[in-house]
Amino acid sequence: MKQNWRFWLPFVVGFSLYFCPTPAGLENNQWHYFAIFAAVIVGLVVESMPVAAVGLIGLTLAAISGFIEKDPNKALRWALSGYSASTVWLIVGAFIFSIGYRKSGLGRRIALHLVKAIGKKTIGLAYAVTLADASIAPATPSNTARSGGTIYPIVSNIPHIYGSEPGPTAKKIGTYIMWCAFAATAVTSSMFLTALAPNIAALGIAKKTIGLDIQWSQWFFGFAPLGILLLILVPLLGYLVCKPEIKESPEVPAWALGELQAMGSLSRNEKIMSVLVLLAMLLWITGSNPDITLPFLGSNFINPTMVVFVIISLMLLLNIITFDDIVREKGAWEVFFYFTSLLTLASGLNEIGFIKWLATGVSQHLDGISPAIATLLLVSLFFWIHYGFSSITSHAAAVLPVVLAVGQGIPGIDMTVLTCLCLYSLGLMGVISPFATGPAPLYYGSGYIGKTDFWKFGLIFGMIFFLGLIGIIYPWLVFLR
């Protein structure tokens, strides 16, 4: 049976590395484990199979190979260790939390209200879309669910009103609105810790690698100077780059009003979900601070993962969602296996000493470079290498440990600043290609943004986002230190 090249490529890469001579300074088991890890990453990049399957197969192979632990029982415990990680359960729980947002209709109502309020002019409409994304981002850990499931269905109805269809008439208004919606979600994904699942996964890697932990509020205030600026600039930059032919859109507020009237008054579930969203944000911001006393709790501290479970429990008790909804949330359970496998495999590289060997080798070539230049080079590598990845999570799992380990080997580098710059870049880098992040294929496939335009717009906005990261966030983080 003829197989797709995507299926065979990971095997080719894995076996090629496996049978290559072991580099000086490494043991055979270290190099052979890296061969498995590299094959998994290639499988994720080219999507040879569903990503959860790739991760699970790779983890299984790594465990039975004995490269980490020769004792079968210890190898099994290592393979299962990731399933108890709070980071993984926070991601899964947050996905389930987003079901209530979607099922209640609260997210759609918020977006429609913003469109009705400031959607008269075309640029105002872009601001409405941007603010709609920003308003639900803190409580929606999947940018695919947020932008693809809530924003896109509303935005996709707008161009038709003006006779702007995919193809020759797309540039009337469709290209501009679609691109602004896509670019905005890249900004909001970096702005909030809980706006992008890989943020949490990458933070888990950073915690394991260098012991850094960042709370929700610390994440927000660290990125706020650039995040707020970009939320203001995205519609303006899109206006210059996409050049919409229609400058005003007076019909859109009326359309949004009609949609809101069709929805009727705020439903019981929307009211409850509004309270739960505010409660979750309050607990995320204050509950993780041991200096703030929380009423009705046995202590003044609540873990961010537990916050999600509290909200899920309340949604179940109040019938906002059902347990069947949780079981049917395929994306959550795919993420469960996907993240667990990647985090465990990535940690394995560090456990066997491969990362230390690689970092030592790379850092030798950076001898004599100032810490500031070294930081810029490492962040540049971390950001732009994403052109080779179709998953932000696999990117973080594969590249972040290496960048951090190299940074640790360079005297004078502020590891907190370097780590934060890498973490903050995760959402921003999603803008650069049609496959760089979850919502990208949806907007790319809409037909409103041409193939050439998508790559061009991605490069332009990617450069702007990266320069903002280096020119604004870098000195801001240094100042905060």
Side-chain angles (χ1 to χ4, degrees):
M1 219 172 31
K2 186 177 180 181
Q3 294 287 346
N4 192 301
W5 67 270
R6 296 175 186 273
F7 177 84
W8 289 111
L9 185 60
F11 292 98
V12 172
V13 171
F15 281 117
S16 297
L17 290 172
Y18 189 94
F19 290 107
C20 278
T22 301
L26 283 180
E27 301 292 336
N28 286 336
N29 70 304
Q30 294 171 311
W31 180 247
H32 293 160
Y33 179 86
F34 172 71
I36 294 175
F37 182 80
V40 170
I41 295 300
V42 171
L44 295 174
V45 171
V46 302
E47 297 180 343
S48 56
M49 295 178 68
V51 291
V54 173
L56 183 61
I57 292 169
L59 182 61
T60 302
L61 184 58
I64 65 173
S65 67
F67 297 145
I68 294 288
E69 293 284 355
K70 294 189 180 298
D71 184 296
N73 293 322
K74 291 182 179 179
L76 177 62
R77 285 195 291 272
W78 170 78
L80 296 177
S81 62
Y83 290 92
S84 62
S86 62
T87 299
V88 174
W89 283 105
L90 174 58
I91 296 169
V92 173
F95 266 92
I96 297 171
F97 175 51
S98 70
I99 300 173
Y101 222 119
R102 183 173 68 245
K103 189 176 179 182
S104 69
L106 179 62
R108 186 169 187 270
R109 184 181 293 275
I110 291 172
L112 285 170
H113 271 296
L114 287 168
V115 168
K116 180 177 74 71
I118 55 176
K120 185 175 181 180
K121 293 185 180 294
T122 299
I123 196 167
L125 180 59
Y127 275 110
V129 172
T130 300
L131 290 174
D133 192 298
S135 67
I136 60 177
T140 314
S142 167
N143 61 355
T144 304
R146 178 174 74 252
S147 188
T150 301
I151 303 299
Y152 179 84
I154 297 172
V155 174
S156 62
N157 283 283
I158 296 171
H160 303 303
I161 301 173
Y162 304 97
S164 181
E165 304 289 344
T169 60
K171 290 187 179 296
K172 282 187 176 181
I173 192 173
T175 301
Y176 171 64
I177 296 301
M178 289 293 185
W179 181 259
C180 286
F182 174 62
T185 206
V187 177
T188 60
S189 292
S190 279
M191 196 164 186
F192 306 101
L193 172 61
T194 49
L196 185 71
N199 290 346
I200 305 168
L203 184 56
I205 293 174
K207 190 173 182 178
K208 284 185 177 181
T209 306
I210 67 168
L212 176 67
D213 196 13
I214 304 173
Q215 305 303 331
W216 195 97
S217 56
Q218 291 174 307
W219 180 291
F220 174 77
F221 287 113
F223 188 75
L226 177 61
I228 294 171
L229 178 63
L230 288 180
L231 289 180
I232 296 171
L233 290 181
V234 161
L236 294 172
L237 293 171
Y239 205 79
L240 295 174
V241 174
C242 302
K243 299 177 181 177
E245 297 172 7
I246 296 175
K247 310 300 182 184
E248 296 187 3
S249 51
E251 297 90 345
V252 172
W255 170 81
L257 177 61
E259 291 293 304
L260 286 168
Q261 290 174 339
M263 289 184 72
S265 58
L266 204 67
S267 68
R268 168 209 178 255
N269 284 4
E270 286 178 280
K271 292 176 182 177
I272 294 175
M273 195 63 203
S274 299
V275 174
L276 294 180
V277 169
L278 293 175
L279 175 61
M281 292 181 64
L282 177 65
L283 291 176
W284 273 327
I285 294 171
T286 64
S288 56
N289 188 340
D291 296 326
I292 299 177
T293 301
L294 298 174
F296 311 114
L297 294 179
S299 68
N300 62 341
F301 178 84
I302 181 169
N303 187 281
T305 303
M306 189 55 66
V307 171
V308 177
F309 281 110
V310 168
I311 300 301
I312 291 173
S313 298
L314 290 173
M315 288 194 294
L316 287 168
L317 286 170
L318 297 170
N319 202 32
I320 301 298
I321 63 172
T322 65
F323 195 76
D324 284 342
D325 293 326
I326 297 176
V327 173
R328 286 195 299 264
E329 186 65 12
K330 179 182 176 182
W333 302 115
E334 286 181 341
V335 165
F336 180 70
F337 287 101
Y338 177 33
F339 281 139
T340 299
S341 302
L342 281 176
L343 287 174
T344 305
L345 286 168
S347 67
L349 282 176
N350 193 47
E351 290 175 30
I352 64 174
F354 182 88
I355 295 297
K356 182 178 180 181
W357 168 82
L358 181 63
T360 301
V362 174
S363 61
Q364 289 176 353
H365 297 286
L366 296 177
D367 283 344
I369 298 178
S370 72
I373 296 299
T375 299
L376 292 176
L377 290 175
L378 289 172
V379 175
S380 298
L381 170 67
F382 187 77
F383 188 95
W384 294 108
I385 203 174
H386 191 59
Y387 270 117
F389 287 85
S390 60
S391 162
I392 294 175
T393 304
S394 60
H395 174 135
V399 184
L400 184 59
V402 175
V403 168
L404 296 184
V406 171
Q408 285 181 306
I410 302 174
I413 279 192
D414 188 321
M415 289 304 298
T416 297
V417 172
L418 173 62
T419 304
C420 287
L421 287 172
C422 291
L423 295 179
Y424 287 147
S425 72
L426 291 173
L428 298 178
M429 66 177 62
V431 81
I432 66 176
S433 78
F435 54 82
T437 188
L442 185 65
Y443 287 95
Y444 181 72
S446 70
Y448 283 101
I449 308 170
K451 294 180 179 179
T452 302
D453 283 343
F454 207 110
W455 286 99
K456 181 177 69 175
F457 297 164
L459 178 60
I460 293 171
F461 274 71
M463 286 295 298
I464 293 170
F465 289 177
F466 178 74
L467 291 174
L469 186 72
I470 296 302
I472 296 175
I473 297 302
Y474 188 6
W476 172 244
L477 291 174
V478 171
F479 170 76
L480 290 178
R481 293 287 289 166

